[in-house]
Amino acid sequence: TLRKHHFKSYKWVGQEAGGYTESQVCRTAITAGYHRRTACPKPFLSARAIQKRLKWAQENRKRNWLQLVWTDEMSLRLGEVVTAHRVTRGPGEAYLPETVTPSFPTPSKQTIMVWGCIAHGKKGPLVRLSFPDERKASGWKGGRGLDAEGYVKQVLEGPLWDFCQEVQAARGVEVLVVEDGA
């Protein structure tokens, strides 16, 4: 019953299994190598996105990872109270589909966007992105990023360019930029 109901409490599992106590279920779970843990959040990925990422990974197995700069942006909801979901799982099951909690971005008028980049062994800058005044005035309308002009000015011509130059100078190789969704 534990393997079918990862998110249910030990008390619920005990009652469902025929009147066992919470302590009995807990001891049985620990003996079998299962523990209550905070569920890992999983960003939503469509089947198509998973296939594209897997294909990219397979095609780039032999790539020199010292040459790559990875970039991404994300939204942060200000003032949000995050609740941790508990899950029963065994070793190596942290990212199984049945033991993660899906995460979907929720639009909010109190949302900020940040952009950052990393390279092997090196963190780049974390930049708070600014939106055009009309977007601020009208609130969040479902858009999840900047227009091309804003992205060029706030990311490509500034922090990304500077970080790539720094990495190239330190490593003596030309770097390649990997952007999410690109």
Side-chain angles (χ1 to χ4, degrees):
T1 303
L2 275 173
R3 291 191 55 82
K4 291 180 185 175
H5 303 286
H6 295 280
F7 286 91
K8 298 293 184 179
S9 67
Y10 286 153
K11 183 177 181 179
W12 184 92
V13 170
Q15 291 170 348
E16 186 72 15
Y20 295 98
T21 67
E22 185 176 354
S23 296
Q24 289 172 314
V25 174
C26 181
R27 280 194 303 275
T28 302
I30 290 171
T31 301
Y34 286 86
H35 301 277
R36 295 293 288 171
R37 304 276 192 236
T38 301
C40 295
K42 177 197 164 290
F44 175 74
L45 291 175
S46 67
R48 182 171 181 252
I50 291 170
Q51 288 303 315
K52 283 176 68 176
R53 289 177 185 208
L54 180 59
K55 181 182 177 200
W56 188 92
Q58 290 167 339
E59 290 172 352
N60 288 277
R61 275 188 282 202
K62 296 183 181 183
R63 180 169 298 281
N64 177 1
W65 299 105
L66 295 175
Q67 287 184 278
L68 296 180
V69 171
W70 302 87
T71 74
D72 204 357
E73 67 278 334
M74 70 175 289
S75 60
L76 298 171
R77 291 167 285 202
L78 303 178
E80 180 178 325
V81 177
V82 179
T83 305
H85 298 280
R86 303 289 288 177
V87 63
T88 302
R89 65 175 187 240
E93 295 182 346
Y95 291 98
L96 291 179
E98 59 269 18
T99 64
V100 296
T101 55
S103 61
F104 297 95
T106 305
S108 166
K109 288 188 178 183
Q110 294 184 338
T111 300
I112 63 169
M113 289 288 293
V114 294
W115 171 92
C117 61
I118 58 170
H120 185 272
K122 187 165 183 59
K123 296 178 199 171
L126 185 63
V127 178
R128 181 177 177 171
L129 301 175
S130 299
F131 292 99
D133 289 337
E134 64 271 8
R135 179 171 276 180
K136 288 180 186 175
S138 63
W140 192 267
K141 295 292 185 190
R144 290 203 56 212
L146 296 172
D147 58 20
E149 183 181 342
Y151 189 75
V152 167
K153 286 181 180 176
Q154 294 183 56
V155 174
L156 298 181
E157 291 179 346
L160 179 58
W161 175 260
D162 295 342
F163 184 71
C164 287
Q165 295 301 309
E166 183 181 327
V167 172
Q168 286 177 170
R171 297 186 180 162
V173 295
E174 185 176 20
V175 298
L176 303 172
V177 176
V178 180
E179 295 187 275
D180 65 315

